[in-house]
Amino acid sequence: MSHIHYKFKSSLTHDSVTFDGLHMSLGDLKRAIVQHKKLQKSMENFRLQITNAQTKQEYTDDDELLPKNTSVIVARIPISKPGAKSWDPSPRQESVATQKIVRNSMPYSLDSHGIVSRKVLSY
């Protein structure tokens, strides 16, 4: 019996996949990890990124053979869907109410001449 040891990037513990032979294809390893970790339902939104733990080489071809006793790091990478909402880095316009709240909560204020003065806060 041969093993390939894997660890999710955010996990502290290693798991292993057992197989017969000297090599296991990357596609078979991914299917075994998904089955072992019960990730079938979430795999429509994620893909698995497999990286060699020692060399940091990323395996990309599902037909690539991994030798027995290899240690790999697994990361779940979200699949971007066309038309899906993504984060918009452009700044949003703040509402007038938000601006007033922020302005009133600042320890400094502007007088009618544009001079900055410190507010006296009473508790």
Side-chain angles (χ1 to χ4, degrees):
M1 300 303 274
S2 302
H3 300 278
I4 291 184
H5 306 280
Y6 69 92
K7 176 181 108 52
F8 276 87
K9 198 172 187 177
S10 61
S11 176
L12 297 176
T13 60
H14 281 79
D15 291 309
S16 61
V17 173
T18 303
F19 62 97
D20 291 326
L22 299 175
H23 302 283
M24 182 179 207
S25 72
L26 179 62
D28 290 341
L29 175 64
K30 287 180 180 181
R31 281 187 285 282
I33 292 171
V34 166
Q35 186 177 22
H36 186 253
K37 291 294 186 176
K38 299 180 174 109
L39 299 173
Q40 290 91 348
K41 292 181 182 177
S42 67
M43 287 313 294
E44 59 193 36
N45 299 325
F46 292 92
R47 69 177 184 85
L48 293 181
Q49 178 186 38
I50 310 290
T51 307
N52 188 305
Q54 284 82 26
T55 64
K56 307 297 185 221
Q57 171 198 2
E58 181 182 342
Y59 298 111
T60 55
D61 183 16
D62 280 350
D63 294 328
E64 189 170 357
L65 296 176
L66 282 71
K68 67 178 184 177
N69 298 326
T70 301
S71 294
V72 296
I73 306 292
V74 181
R76 287 182 7 166
I77 307 297
I79 296 173
S80 61
K81 295 180 181 177
K85 291 183 179 181
S86 62
W87 179 68
D88 183 14
S90 61
R92 294 186 310 184
Q93 184 66 27
E94 290 182 355
S95 68
V96 174
T98 304
Q99 291 174 359
K100 286 181 181 177
I101 291 171
V102 170
R103 195 174 298 135
N104 290 337
S105 64
M106 299 295 286
Y108 300 97
S109 65
L110 292 174
D111 63 8
S112 60
H113 301 292
I115 299 172
V116 177
S117 61
R118 186 174 178 99
K119 287 184 183 177
V120 177
L121 302 176
S122 58
Y123 294 100

